[in-house]
Amino acid sequence: MPDALPLCARLPIAIHIEPLLAALARVPADAWQPHFNTGYFSGDWSGVALIAPANAVLELAPGSGEPKPTKVFAGDPAWQAALNQIDAPIRSARLLRLGPGAAIREHADFDLAGPDSDLRIHLPLRSHEAVEFLLEGHLVPMRPGECWFLDLSRPHRVDNPSPHDRIHLVLDCQRSPWLLQAIAAGAPTTPTLGLSRGRRAFAEFQALIAADANLADALLAIEEHKQFIETVVALGQQHGHAFSEEDVQSVMRQSRQRWQQQWMA
Amino acid sequence: MATLIPNALDFHDWLPIRTRLDAEGWRIDWARFGTQPLAEPFFRDSTELALRRPFNQVFRRDTAIDALLDWQQRSPGIAPTAFVFHASRCGSTLIARMLSRLPGYTVLSEPSPLDALLRAHYTTPPIAADQPTLIRAMLSAYGQRRRGTERALVVKLDAWNIFELPLLRQCFPTTPWLFLYRDPLEIVVSQIRQPGMHLVPGLIGATPLAFPQDEVNAMSHPEFVARTIGRMLAAGLEQCRAHGGLAVNYDELPDGVTGRLASFFGLAESDLPIAQDGSRHNAKHPHQVFQSDRDSKHRDASDEIRAAVDQWARGPYAELEALRLARVL
């Protein structure tokens, strides 16, 4: 049985970023199309297909057909040069752009689950340190010039509060021995995943509650979930710890999961 | 996250809910119980109730196990006043239910964090040197006066903990303890109808109660159950002889709790009617009125079960009875 895939891994390959940025600059503005999954984001979330399944309903959507290069891809050899570094059948390649102030809500891509599913690879081209890619609540510190495998069948969300575009080249690859080996080889040197701003602020708030018996007593008395979460967020604001209801809900969800996991040995 | 929390945490109305070993070492999960009494049949039910509070889903604590020692130093709890060991399906939950009604009593019913600590050395031998200190500190945490009225701490252990009695005895040499048992045919029939955790090979982890898997595979199911129950009765007998435990038969319940055992549990005259009231309902299913199912258990026993019980469990039962009657009569 093959080893389970990690949550994510930075592959031990260097991407030559300059030719890709130059190619990106040559992509016509009207090639960018809004992402098909309109229910899951706010702000500008759009993309350009470079390689798309022949039978995909929309160029940016998944499909099972033969992968076909698009005009944009064929018009610039820099894309093929980058993809040559990945020794796995590439089923789709897309440029995905999250505009300033845009956010993708938490979701899981179930088409990437299962032992034979495609593996999704991210090559960040443009980003900003304020951008937060959260995978199961952990901050994935992806930087331009790197190449990452991410298990996006698990819950993830992206937030771009910066004034800049965040653009990644996103590949869906069939599993190949090379790719699985690159993921395994990259795991030990993958940077530690961090906490989001909201979760860091929440951790500070938890320390405050641990030290303040009156606040803790007031919160202990609230039995109703919605009222509890609203009170916690408001108290956090009041004490200078900014986090969202979503942050509190994700802490509660993980806490329940951790407790239940002990029965699933 | 842990580094943000100052050392001197107040655990006044918090209780350990889990002992576990992870990459950082032995750890304790804590939940805040407030003044919530441990009124449910088992400690794990009280824990689930506490964890339903939103507060515990967000603020429950996860500390290194040493936090127990620090907390004991700052706030020593009541030492255990009685231990209840048993052979399973013998009425120990009934005893716990009768006592937990009393405002002065904290009754811990099979707390898994204590079980995990009592058996930790089977899988992690280096912890043996620290076990007595940690066990005392854990019970000190359980013995905090959360409601202000507590004066007794009665701990009912898991059935398989009879093998860890010497360790617990080492921690609390003066705390009285009893071993509760009953006619093994009734235990075996009950365990065949609805197996407890210790009757599912491998489920509870390392324990001297377990037989090697290849031996289990060679046994019929009635033989496996009868030998497991026989092994517990034999251990109870041996420990009673070696460590001065009180042998108590299920047949003495519930009246014995407020009779022969009243002083063992430290019951006051005014406690007796309250405790007696707690015996009217089925201990594990409190909404049902208690009914003895002795006759149906005896009817259910096949010849094979009877033979297995006679061969593997009848002997230690008879010896326990002799030990008990020598003291009662």
Side-chain angles (χ1 to χ4, degrees):
Chain A
M1 192 175 120
D3 287 341
L5 288 166
L7 188 61
C8 61
R10 188 177 66 185
L11 275 48
I13 56 174
I15 303 297
H16 301 298
I17 190 85
E18 287 77 15
L20 293 176
L21 291 176
L24 181 63
R26 290 191 288 269
V27 172
D30 61 4
W32 293 91
Q33 301 174 9
H35 198 278
F36 63 94
N37 209 344
T38 52
Y40 274 91
F41 65 91
S42 57
D44 171 28
W45 174 225
S46 53
V48 177
L50 298 177
I51 295 174
N55 64 346
V57 186
L58 298 161
E59 274 198 329
L60 291 173
S64 55
E66 189 66 19
K68 292 265 191 257
T70 64
K71 276 183 192 159
V72 176
F73 182 82
D76 216 315
W79 303 122
Q80 183 63 60
L83 266 45
N84 284 345
Q85 289 187 262
I86 310 289
D87 183 7
I90 293 175
R91 311 250 285 190
S92 97
R94 298 169 293 170
L95 293 167
L96 292 176
R97 178 176 73 191
L98 191 63
I104 303 166
R105 294 219 317 267
E106 184 158 274
H107 68 286
D109 296 315
F110 294 111
D111 54 325
L112 297 175
D116 302 318
S117 68
D118 287 350
L119 302 180
R120 184 157 295 166
I121 304 296
H122 272 238
L123 285 72
L125 301 181
R126 284 186 190 286
S127 198
H128 184 274
E129 60 182 26
V131 171
E132 292 193 324
F133 194 114
L134 299 177
L135 180 51
E136 280 195 337
H138 304 283
L139 186 68
V140 185
M142 288 186 275
R143 293 166 170 277
E146 297 176 344
C147 177
W148 284 72
F149 158 74
L150 304 167
D151 180 358
L152 298 187
S153 68
R154 308 202 222 183
H156 57 284
R157 63 184 167 115
V158 194
D159 188 17
N160 179 12
S162 84
H164 304 281
D165 283 337
R166 186 221 70 155
I167 300 176
H168 284 193
L169 172 54
V170 177
L171 313 177
D172 285 353
C173 303
Q174 275 183 310
R175 295 173 185 226
S176 72
W178 178 89
L179 184 54
L180 294 171
Q181 163 59 25
I183 291 169
T189 54
T190 297
T192 311
L193 307 187
L195 286 176
S196 69
R197 271 184 305 280
R199 290 293 287 271
R200 283 199 301 272
F202 191 74
E204 290 161 13
F205 181 70
Q206 284 175 310
L208 171 75
I209 295 302
D212 187 324
N214 290 332
L215 281 183
D217 287 350
L219 289 175
L220 178 67
I222 305 176
E223 303 268 354
E224 204 275 314
H225 275 238
K226 190 170 182 303
Q227 187 198 353
F228 177 84
I229 292 169
E230 287 168 1
T231 310
V232 163
V233 171
L235 266 178
Q237 289 284 355
Q238 210 176 309
H239 290 83
H241 306 294
F243 49 82
S244 64
E245 292 190 10
E246 207 170 7
D247 289 318
V248 184
Q249 277 159 352
S250 105
V251 168
M252 292 172 95
R253 194 166 49 238
Q254 284 174 15
S255 160
R256 284 194 298 267
Q257 279 171 0
R258 267 205 316 278
W259 183 252
Q260 280 154 12
Q261 269 161 8
Q262 70 179 305
W263 320 118
M264 307 179 205
Chain B
M1 204 147 68
T3 54
L4 290 170
I5 298 176
N7 276 332
L9 282 177
D10 185 338
F11 288 99
H12 168 64
D13 53 5
W14 296 72
L15 298 178
I17 58 168
R18 190 178 173 203
T19 304
R20 63 193 161 84
L21 179 63
D22 73 8
E24 296 173 80
W26 286 92
R27 301 194 68 80
I28 300 289
D29 287 322
W30 304 74
R32 192 165 173 200
F33 283 65
T35 54
Q36 176 193 325
L38 305 180
E40 294 67 36
F42 294 97
F43 180 70
R44 66 167 175 272
D45 303 323
S46 308
T47 301
E48 293 299 334
L49 196 61
L51 289 180
R52 258 184 244 162
R53 287 181 189 227
F55 181 91
N56 279 322
Q57 289 172 29
V58 170
F59 300 111
R60 69 184 167 86
R61 294 175 180 167
D62 159 16
T63 69
I65 201 164
D66 288 356
L68 288 172
L69 307 177
D70 176 60
W71 178 235
Q72 181 189 24
Q73 282 223 319
R74 285 188 285 135
S75 177
I78 302 167
T81 50
F83 292 119
V84 175
F85 289 84
H86 58 96
S88 73
R89 314 292 162 92
C90 300
S92 66
T93 308
L94 175 63
I95 295 182
R97 300 284 292 170
M98 292 172 75
L99 299 177
S100 66
R101 304 166 54 79
L102 302 167
Y105 281 65
T106 297
V107 180
L108 281 175
S109 195
E110 306 184 3
S112 66
L114 178 63
D115 173 43
L117 196 48
L118 283 169
R119 293 192 289 134
H121 58 295
Y122 298 139
T123 47
T124 317
I127 200 177
D130 298 323
Q131 251 169 329
T133 319
L134 291 169
I135 290 165
R136 276 191 289 263
M138 177 177 279
L139 282 163
S140 169
Y142 282 125
Q144 299 292 314
R145 290 187 172 85
R146 292 183 295 119
R147 292 172 291 161
T149 51
E150 297 91 337
R151 59 181 172 82
L153 174 61
V154 176
V155 184
K156 183 200 46 132
L157 293 110
D158 280 297
W160 51 87
N161 289 140
I162 187 61
F163 295 94
E164 287 78 55
L165 178 121
L167 174 57
L168 197 57
R169 195 80 194 136
Q170 183 190 340
C171 302
F172 301 100
T174 59
T175 302
W177 67 277
L178 62 74
F179 180 71
L180 185 62
Y181 60 91
R182 78 192 280 186
D183 182 329
L185 186 67
E186 294 164 21
I187 306 178
V188 168
V189 167
S190 172
Q191 292 286 7
I192 286 175
R193 279 184 191 166
Q194 194 179 359
M197 299 231 294
H198 53 296
L199 271 300
V200 181
L203 190 62
I204 61 167
T207 165
L209 177 61
F211 292 89
Q213 189 57 48
D214 55 337
E215 288 184 29
V216 174
N217 294 343
M219 297 177 200
S220 71
H221 188 59
E223 181 185 340
F224 166 68
V225 177
R227 288 180 69 170
T228 303
I229 301 308
R231 189 174 259 199
M232 274 198 300
L233 293 173
L237 174 67
E238 183 193 329
Q239 310 287 21
C240 279
R241 282 181 176 149
H243 297 280
L246 189 63
V248 178
N249 192 314
Y250 167 85
D251 290 343
E252 299 180 69
L253 304 183
D255 296 345
V257 175
T258 49
R260 174 163 92 103
L261 301 176
S263 63
F264 173 92
F265 287 120
L267 294 174
E269 196 64 37
S270 59
D271 292 331
L272 303 182
I274 305 174
Q276 277 158 357
D277 260 2
S279 66
R280 295 190 208 288
H281 291 265
N282 183 311
K284 292 177 184 169
H285 306 283
H287 53 282
Q288 298 171 10
V289 173
F290 174 76
Q291 277 187 315
S292 168
D293 58 356
R294 162 163 304 162
D295 293 345
S296 92
K297 278 173 179 153
H298 280 268
R299 272 200 311 277
D300 269 13
S302 65
D303 289 345
E304 187 190 4
I305 292 173
R306 281 173 209 284
V309 167
D310 287 345
Q311 185 177 355
W312 300 107
R314 192 60 68 191
Y317 172 73
E319 288 192 69
L320 278 162
E321 278 293 85
L323 190 70
R324 176 176 77 91
L325 294 171
R327 198 155 159 177
V328 174
L329 298 177

